[in-house]
Amino acid sequence: MSKNDIWYGMIEAGEKSTPVVRDMTLQTGDRSKIWLYNHSRNRFLEYSRAIVESKLRDLGEGDISQQELDKAFQAARKLFTPRHMIRKWDAAPGTPAASNSPRSKGDDDDIELDDSDMEKFVDDDSEE
């Protein structure tokens, strides 16, 4: 993550104004939403882009220092996994993760099945 991927600022929302950090590498999977680290809540929240972008401004004098905000952001970032970034093939707790296994270049995370493949999974004894 480069420093150009991180933006430090404030959400101007009256009494609910708060320092925020935007990590441009975090995507919600929906272009109408963005993830922001909300310092007042000490966690990442998903915001409506149309609503929040007009309320964002750069940090100014009298605001929290960028260093203090960055320290809190980095601690929260280590614990944060956006729901769309959870890999389908990560193993259950206590088993080796599939992501640790060697993969050849070009392997996909998704497996596509057509209807003929589904015959392999149908239990013939289940029909009555």
Side-chain angles (χ1 to χ4, degrees):
M1 167 174 29
S2 79
K3 292 189 181 227
N4 294 334
D5 292 332
I6 306 295
W7 176 82
Y8 302 89
M10 294 286 294
I11 293 178
E12 289 294 334
E15 291 181 16
K16 294 184 179 182
S17 293
T18 185
V20 293
V21 179
R22 182 171 183 195
D23 179 345
M24 307 297 187
T25 66
L26 296 177
Q27 302 298 319
T28 64
D30 179 349
R31 290 185 179 181
S32 69
K33 309 254 176 159
I34 60 173
W35 286 113
L36 293 175
Y37 167 72
N38 180 307
H39 185 65
S40 295
R41 294 195 181 176
N42 194 31
R43 64 186 180 122
F44 284 84
L45 297 175
E46 188 176 52
Y47 290 88
S48 169
R49 183 184 305 264
I51 295 171
V52 79
E53 281 190 337
S54 64
K55 298 175 190 278
L56 296 175
R57 68 163 174 82
D58 290 329
L59 288 177
E61 289 201 30
D63 294 333
I64 189 172
S65 73
Q66 184 172 327
Q67 292 80 14
E68 184 180 345
L69 182 56
D70 184 63
K71 184 178 178 181
F73 160 73
Q74 294 296 337
R77 179 67 178 93
K78 287 179 184 177
L79 301 173
F80 178 68
T81 304
R83 63 183 168 272
H84 77 282
M85 289 181 69
I86 297 171
R87 295 174 49 100
K88 294 179 191 177
W89 297 105
D90 283 348
T95 61
S99 60
N100 291 337
S101 63
R103 294 178 53 170
S104 63
K105 203 170 202 176
D107 282 351
D108 292 328
D109 286 340
D110 297 324
I111 298 173
E112 293 186 28
L113 299 174
D114 62 25
D115 290 340
S116 64
D117 292 328
M118 292 307 292
E119 294 172 358
K120 298 173 190 172
F121 299 102
V122 175
D123 183 5
D124 292 332
D125 295 336
S126 64
E127 293 181 23
E128 293 182 25

